[in-house]
């Protein structure tokens, strides 16, 4: 879990594909732009039309069952199986052909399960191969027709009522992206202006260079979508983006250079949504796990905490706890607690010098604490208080956060989730003198694919690593 020593690595900017949320947008400073809240952000498309299409398709397939009117339980099993095995697409689909294999496959599984249940319940009324094939065909055809109608209707609405958008970034790049979107109206986004500090190209859409002009465009054009076309926009125009988010806009990052491999796409550009945050249930579940586990661990490890404190006091004098300012979620600072394993010369050294785990000036006991990560145990109190999480990107000092954010555009994205004692980067060996670029990539991949079960797996793998380290 210790990840305090590292050497900054060089490397180009990377584009991590994925649909999940990205980027921390720091809260605007006092006096930053404020726009009126016109209406809440647009919600994702309702799943009810597709759900209704699936239920009706299951009922249509049930028509081939003998006596289905008198055996509603068979229809109920078919409908229940259809709903339980509904495909969860990792990204929005544009038409029924995109999900055809998944739909037909789960319908086949449903019918095979129904045939097995019916044979076990009443062997004399088992489905024949012809009946099974006919039921699957009718069910699949009805499902594809229903889902196709839903997708067609959504595309028609989107093309007929595109969302007005602003494009933020260097003027030349923003105009190029805006022109591509205007050439493809079916994408459902219609740029109405470009937000840039300098006018590099006089052609194209109007260029908005002040907050007042952005506010007028927001109100007069009913802007609902904001597209950023450069990673630098997330830091350089963070107050503006935060104000647009608070005004009800949805902010997306567009990669104008790379292809949309596995990510959501807009007119052929790879796009990722900025800062919608995890779902409320997900945040509550993660926080509940943190509170329960940290509280459960603080009691049994209290003897170990006491022993470590006493040994440090006897061997190194007063000041057994080391307090240091770190950067947490959304760029907010907090005080991190650790057992003191060495004493910095002064405040400047503590804030700007890497703490090397095998430093020669450490005592044998301090090196033992570092090697076994026992010096991190006081951070359970940080977790219980809510400063940190059990699992998340490792927090760093403000000086290095600023340094690495400038050197690696993806580094600041780590702060969109609460920092942690351990994380995906740490269990993959990114501790000590390892690449900052690699560490940021693993941390962002963890956030993009976060799930409560992933946290549990990381905690289990961390526990195994600690046991091995203690036994070595």
């Amino acid at each position: 879990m210790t990840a305090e020593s590292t050497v900054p690595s060089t490397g180009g900017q990377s584009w991590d594909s994925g649909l999940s949320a990205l980027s921390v947008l720091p809260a605007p400073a006092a006096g930053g732009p404020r726009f009126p809240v016109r209406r809440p952000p647009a919600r994702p498309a309702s799943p009810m039309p597709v759900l209704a299409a699936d239920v009706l398709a299951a009922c249509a397939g049930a028509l081939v069952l003998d006596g289905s009117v008198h055996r509603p339980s068979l229809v109920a099993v078919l409908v229940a199986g259809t709903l339980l095995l509904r495909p969860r697409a990792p990204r929005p689909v544009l038409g029924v052909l995109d999900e055809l294999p998944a739909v037909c496959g789960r319908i086949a599984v449903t019918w095979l399960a129904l045939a097995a249940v019916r044979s076990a319940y009443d062997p004399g009324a088992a489905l024949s191969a012809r009946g099974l094939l006919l039921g699957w065909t009718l069910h699949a055809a009805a499902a594809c027709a229903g889902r196709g109608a839903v997708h067609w209707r959504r595309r028609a609405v989107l093309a007929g009522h595109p969302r007005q958008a602003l494009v933020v970034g260097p003027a030349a790049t923003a105009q190029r992206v805006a022109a591509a979107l205007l050439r493809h109206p079916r994408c459902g986004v219609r740029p109405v202006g470009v937000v840039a500090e300098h006018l590099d190209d006089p052609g194209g859409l109007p260029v908005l260079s002040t907050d007042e002009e952005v506010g007028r465009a927001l109100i007069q054009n009913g802007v609902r979508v904001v597209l950023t076309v450069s990673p630098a926009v997330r830091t350089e125009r963070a107050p503006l983006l935060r104000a647009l988010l608070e005004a009800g806009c949805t902010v997306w990052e567009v990669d104008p250079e790379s292809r949309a491999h596995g990510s959501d796409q807009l007119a052929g550009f790879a796009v990722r949504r900025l800062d919608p945050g995890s779902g409320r249930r997900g945040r509550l579940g993660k926080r509940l796990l943190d509170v329960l586990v940290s509280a459960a661990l603080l009691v049994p490890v209290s003897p170990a905490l006491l022993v470590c404190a006493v040994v440090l006091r006897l061997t190194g004098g007063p000041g057994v706890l080391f307090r240091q300012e770190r950067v947490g979620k959304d760029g907010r600072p907090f005080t991190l607690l650790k057992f003191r394993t060495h004493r910095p010369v002064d405040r400047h050294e503590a804030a700007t010098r890497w703490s090397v785990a095998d430093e020669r000036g450490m005592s044998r006991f301090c090196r033992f604490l570092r090697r076994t990560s026992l010096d991190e145990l006081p951070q359970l109190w940080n977790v219980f208080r809510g400063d940190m999480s059990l699992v998340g990107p490792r927090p760093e000092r403000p000086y290095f956060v600023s340094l690495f954010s400038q050197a690696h555009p993806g580094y600041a994205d780590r702060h969109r989730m609460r920092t942690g004692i351990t994380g995906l980067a740490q269990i993959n060996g990114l501790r000590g003198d390892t690449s900052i670029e690699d560490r940021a990539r693993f941390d962002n991949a963890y956030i993009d694919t976060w799930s409560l079960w992933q946290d549990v797996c990381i905690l289990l793998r961390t526990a195994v690593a600690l046991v091995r380290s203690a036994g070595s």
Side-chain angles (χ1 to χ4, degrees):
M1 292 181 288
T2 303
E4 311 308 327
S5 69
T6 184
V7 174
S9 66
T10 58
Q13 169 191 346
S14 62
W15 174 264
D16 300 324
S17 64
L19 176 61
S20 302
L22 301 197
S23 183
V24 55
L25 299 179
R34 294 291 191 276
F35 304 121
V37 180
R38 304 292 294 174
R39 46 187 169 171
R43 296 180 178 179
S46 171
M48 293 308 297
V50 174
L51 181 64
D54 287 342
V55 172
L56 292 176
C59 294
L63 294 177
V64 304
L65 297 174
D66 296 333
S68 61
V69 176
H70 305 290
R71 295 280 184 88
S73 59
L74 296 178
V75 181
V77 169
L78 190 60
V79 172
T82 299
L83 297 182
L84 290 175
L85 296 177
R86 290 179 67 227
R88 295 329 194 256
R91 49 177 293 196
V93 294
L94 302 178
V96 69
L97 291 179
D98 296 328
E99 55 186 2
L100 183 62
V103 170
C104 293
R106 55 100 178 174
I107 290 176
V109 171
T110 301
W111 275 89
L112 290 173
L114 177 65
V117 170
R118 187 168 182 177
S119 298
Y121 178 76
D122 188 359
L127 283 175
S128 63
R130 180 176 177 277
L132 188 63
L133 180 61
L134 181 60
W136 174 83
T137 302
L138 183 60
H139 189 168
C144 291
R147 282 176 169 253
V150 172
H151 293 313
W152 175 84
R153 176 61 180 168
R154 287 177 175 173
R155 289 196 304 270
V157 171
L158 202 60
H161 301 85
R163 297 178 182 176
Q164 310 298 311
L166 294 177
V167 186
V168 185
T173 305
Q175 293 284 11
R176 178 165 62 89
V177 172
L181 294 176
L182 291 174
R183 290 194 299 268
H184 297 277
R186 292 185 61 187
C187 68
V189 175
R190 181 176 178 269
V192 296
V194 167
V195 181
E197 295 182 354
H198 305 288
L199 180 58
D200 299 330
D201 185 357
L205 294 175
V207 177
L208 314 175
S209 57
T210 66
D211 295 336
E212 291 75 14
E213 292 175 340
V214 174
R216 281 198 298 270
L218 191 68
I219 297 173
Q220 295 174 0
N221 295 280
V223 172
R224 302 300 308 278
V225 176
V226 176
L227 306 172
T228 70
V229 295
S230 170
V233 172
R234 298 199 302 267
T235 53
E236 296 174 358
R237 306 303 296 270
L240 174 64
L241 295 181
R242 175 62 67 186
L244 291 169
L245 280 167
E246 293 175 349
C249 294
T250 303
V251 182
W252 294 79
E253 183 179 73
V254 179
D255 181 17
E257 304 300 336
S258 68
R259 300 174 182 174
H261 288 306
S263 65
D264 198 12
Q265 62 87 22
L266 193 65
F269 295 115
V271 296
R272 297 185 293 184
R273 187 172 176 177
L274 297 183
D275 198 36
S278 303
R280 180 176 177 84
R281 293 182 180 179
R283 292 195 302 269
L284 290 177
K286 184 175 178 64
R287 180 59 187 149
L288 183 61
L289 178 67
D290 289 339
V291 172
L292 293 178
V293 175
S294 61
L297 288 178
L298 279 170
V299 175
V301 303
S302 55
L305 292 171
L306 180 60
V307 169
C308 292
V310 170
V311 174
L312 285 174
R313 178 65 175 83
L314 294 176
T315 59
V320 297
L321 284 181
F322 181 66
R323 295 175 175 85
Q324 192 174 66
E325 184 182 24
R326 298 294 176 97
V327 177
K329 186 177 184 296
D330 294 333
R332 300 187 185 96
F334 71 95
T335 301
L336 179 136
L337 302 176
K338 295 178 63 174
F339 279 126
R340 175 188 48 77
T341 52
H342 76 285
R343 294 183 184 273
V345 175
D346 52 31
R347 285 179 174 269
H348 178 74
E349 182 191 63
T352 62
R353 181 172 181 264
W354 285 112
S355 176
V356 183
D358 57 353
E359 198 167 350
R360 294 182 179 180
M362 290 183 188
S363 66
R364 182 178 301 178
F365 182 70
C366 291
R367 288 197 296 269
F368 168 76
L369 292 180
R370 283 293 187 95
R371 188 176 66 251
T372 59
S373 297
L374 290 175
D375 61 326
E376 311 280 358
L377 284 179
Q379 291 171 39
L380 289 173
W381 180 247
N382 286 118
V383 174
F384 187 76
R385 288 182 53 185
D387 298 328
M388 299 174 60
S389 177
L390 291 169
V391 183
R394 285 295 296 166
E396 194 43 75
R397 285 160 282 180
Y399 172 82
F400 291 105
V401 168
S402 176
L403 182 67
F404 297 148
S405 296
Q406 295 176 7
H408 307 285
Y411 188 84
D413 294 344
R414 303 163 67 252
H415 298 103
R416 54 201 158 108
M417 180 174 280
R418 189 177 280 118
T419 56
I421 298 179
T422 185
L424 185 63
Q426 282 66 48
I427 64 173
N428 280 279
L430 293 171
R431 304 170 56 190
D433 297 331
T434 53
S435 167
I436 290 293
E437 182 182 4
D438 290 347
R439 194 176 300 182
R441 185 173 63 253
F442 271 91
D443 288 337
N444 286 318
Y446 161 75
I447 299 173
D448 290 342
T449 60
W450 178 85
S451 68
L452 203 58
W453 178 245
Q454 185 182 22
D455 277 7
V456 174
C457 293
I458 291 175
L459 290 174
L460 293 175
R461 292 178 63 181
T462 301
V464 171
L466 288 177
V467 171
R468 290 177 177 175
S469 176
S472 60

